[in-house]
């Protein structure tokens, strides 16, 4: 476990100098840790899985190929390097309400990264860098843009309604019911995210409102289409072994591309429990939707259903 103390999305290579009071060395920290692990048994490993959550998830996308190259250069060609990126697949979408970039919370994701990369002297993988003009390297911090350029296999775990994404998009779900514009924005965010994961071979994307999963104690309980994350990771591992052997089609009954198709937050019954941010009380799906200003009558009408039928479907998660 490498603590995130570099504040640079694991991309920095800038040491402290008279001009810069701060050091941002995330990319170099990872390289040093790998060097150190070689002497602690990594040299005999078959697989190195680089995993991270949130900024660490983006850090996996930025570093997985570099770690593979580093090990090759050190003479360890036999180690297969893989990535597990949890809650680090952000979108550079349009904010719900545009705000000036006063601090990291109000700053649009693209602007924050654009500024950050200069402070950090941020390193992005060469293959991704070549896809963009000089000065446009910030694009490589966004999963759907860097993923197609990666050589190492990466498993992407991403809530369809990521709380950190909503925060940077200026959708705040506290206290008062959500207005219709926000509600539509949230649903659209889920659709956009689902689209970016279409061509990701190995993915697990539940329709929940949350942030981070592999660091939480409920990570084994969440399911997408009846498959849990540990099961999906097991299937992924098997598929990588099988494809090494004979390039066969995906294993039957062992899915690795799992994306919820239902359209709003927590329409998946295995989602983690939601708590009211003010009272700390747990809410069920229907209480949560009411709290969000969800109009059951209106929604039922739009879907051509009886309100009671819609409520039944919501509680069972269909």
């Amino acid at each position: 476990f490498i603590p995130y103390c570099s504040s640079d999305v694991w991309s920095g290579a800038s040491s402290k100098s008279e001009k810069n009071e701060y050091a941002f060395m995330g990319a170099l920290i990872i390289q040093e840790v790998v060097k150190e692990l070689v002497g602690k048994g990594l040299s005999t490993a078959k697989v190195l899985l680089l995993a991270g959550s949130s900024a660490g998830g983006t850090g996996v996308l930025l570093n997985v190929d570099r770690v593979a190259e580093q090990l090759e250069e050190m003479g360890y060609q036999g180690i297969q390097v893989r990535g597990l990126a949890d809650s680090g697949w952000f979108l550079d979408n349009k904010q719900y309400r545009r705000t000036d970039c006063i601090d990291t919370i109000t700053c649009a994701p693209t602007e924050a990264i654009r500024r950050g990369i200069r402070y950090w002297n941020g390193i992005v993988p060469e293959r991704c860098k070549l896809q963009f003009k000089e000065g446009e390297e910030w694009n490589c911090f966004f999963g759907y843009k860097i993923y197609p350029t990666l050589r190492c296999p990466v498993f992407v775990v991403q809530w369809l309604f990521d709380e950190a994404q909503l925060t940077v998009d200026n959708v705040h779900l506290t206290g008062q019911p959500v207005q219709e514009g926000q509600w539509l924005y949230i649903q659209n965010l889920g659709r956009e995210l689902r689209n970016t994961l279409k061509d990701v071979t190995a993915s697990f994307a539940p329709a929940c409102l949350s942030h981070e999963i592999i660091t939480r104690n409920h990570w084994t309980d969440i399911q997408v289409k009846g498959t849990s994350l540990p099961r999906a990771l097991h299937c992924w591992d098997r598929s990588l072994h099988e494809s090494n052997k004979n390039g066969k089609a995906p294993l039957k009954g062992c899915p690795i591309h799992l994306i919820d198709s239902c359209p709003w937050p927590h329409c998946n019954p295995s989602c983690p429990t939601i708590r009211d941010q003010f009272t700390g009380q747990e809410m069920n799906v229907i209480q949560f939707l009411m709290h969000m200003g969800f109009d059951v009558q209106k929604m039922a009408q739009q879907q051509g259903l009886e309100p009671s039928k819609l409520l039944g479907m919501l509680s069972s998660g269909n």
Side-chain angles (χ1 to χ4, degrees):
F1 179 76
I2 318 175
Y4 182 44
C5 57
S6 58
S7 311
D8 55 9
V9 197
W10 299 102
S11 73
S14 141
S15 48
K16 190 177 171 203
S17 67
E18 296 196 350
K19 203 174 73 176
N20 295 330
E21 294 174 61
Y22 295 102
F24 297 103
M25 305 185 89
L28 306 180
I29 290 170
I30 289 182
Q31 303 271 293
E32 286 303 316
V33 169
V34 169
K35 268 188 221 164
E36 196 169 312
L37 289 176
V38 164
K40 293 185 175 356
L42 179 63
S43 55
T44 57
K46 291 189 176 67
V47 175
L48 167 62
L49 179 64
L50 193 63
S53 292
S54 197
T58 312
V60 167
L61 298 168
L62 289 168
N63 287 282
V64 68
D65 280 359
R66 280 182 58 244
V67 167
E69 281 156 27
Q70 179 187 358
L71 286 169
E72 272 167 36
E73 282 163 19
M74 291 171 79
Y76 301 107
Q77 285 87 349
I79 304 173
Q80 192 192 18
V81 180
R82 304 175 187 169
L84 170 57
D86 162 31
S87 303
W89 187 273
F90 291 99
L91 300 184
D92 53 344
N93 57 342
K94 232 172 131 184
Q95 288 175 295
Y96 174 64
R97 269 199 330 276
R98 220 196 131 271
T99 41
D100 291 327
C101 190
I102 310 158
D103 54 34
T104 46
I105 299 297
T106 55
C107 205
T110 42
E111 189 50 37
I113 294 295
R114 205 178 263 163
R115 292 183 184 198
I117 205 169
R118 292 201 298 270
Y119 292 122
W120 309 327
N121 188 19
I123 298 178
V124 301
E126 211 48 46
R127 280 161 64 98
C128 183
K129 203 173 171 175
L130 293 172
Q131 309 281 318
F132 300 100
K133 293 203 300 279
E134 204 180 328
E136 301 286 301
E137 293 84 0
W138 59 266
N139 282 287
C140 296
F141 282 73
F142 293 93
Y144 73 100
K145 293 179 178 179
I146 189 174
Y147 177 84
T149 71
L150 296 178
R151 285 195 168 123
C152 293
V154 174
F155 192 109
V156 177
V157 185
Q158 186 65 38
W159 303 109
L160 288 179
F161 305 96
D162 187 288
E163 287 174 315
Q165 177 81 52
L166 286 165
T167 301
V168 293
D169 287 341
N170 289 320
V171 176
H172 301 289
L173 305 175
T174 48
Q176 69 287 359
V178 171
Q179 298 149 338
E180 191 169 14
Q182 283 177 305
W183 179 238
L184 293 171
Y185 183 92
I186 292 167
Q187 285 180 281
N188 189 50
L189 175 71
R191 271 196 299 274
E192 283 184 11
L193 202 99
R194 199 179 287 120
N195 279 338
T196 65
L197 293 171
K198 257 198 332 271
D199 301 321
V200 173
T201 318
S203 49
F204 186 86
C208 310
L209 177 76
S210 195
H211 183 59
E212 300 195 351
I213 178 167
I214 60 173
T215 55
R216 314 267 173 188
N217 56 7
H218 57 57
W219 79 280
T220 57
D221 305 334
I222 317 297
Q223 297 193 350
V224 175
K225 300 185 173 150
T227 301
S228 69
L229 179 53
R231 170 82 181 147
L233 289 168
H234 165 74
C235 291
W236 180 52
D237 183 55
R238 274 184 58 191
S239 75
L240 292 172
H241 283 304
E242 297 291 320
S243 66
N244 277 357
K245 273 190 262 173
N246 48 19
K248 275 205 322 238
L251 301 159
K252 273 205 167 64
C254 212
I256 58 172
H257 182 77
L258 291 152
I259 300 173
D260 262 335
S261 47
C262 62
W264 48 66
H266 277 63
C267 52
N268 172 334
S270 73
C271 286
T273 313
I274 314 160
R275 291 182 180 278
D276 184 298
Q277 285 172 312
F278 283 123
T279 63
Q281 268 184 310
E282 291 190 356
M283 291 188 267
N284 66 27
V285 176
I286 294 167
Q287 288 167 327
F288 165 70
L289 290 170
M290 299 291 203
H291 167 77
M292 297 263 289
F294 181 90
D295 185 331
V296 177
Q297 307 291 120
K298 192 169 154 191
M299 202 50 97
Q301 220 170 0
Q302 282 175 2
Q303 312 270 344
L305 295 169
E306 286 294 309
S308 59
K309 180 146 194 245
L310 177 63
L311 286 173
M313 283 167 67
L314 288 172
S315 9
S316 68
N318 290 331

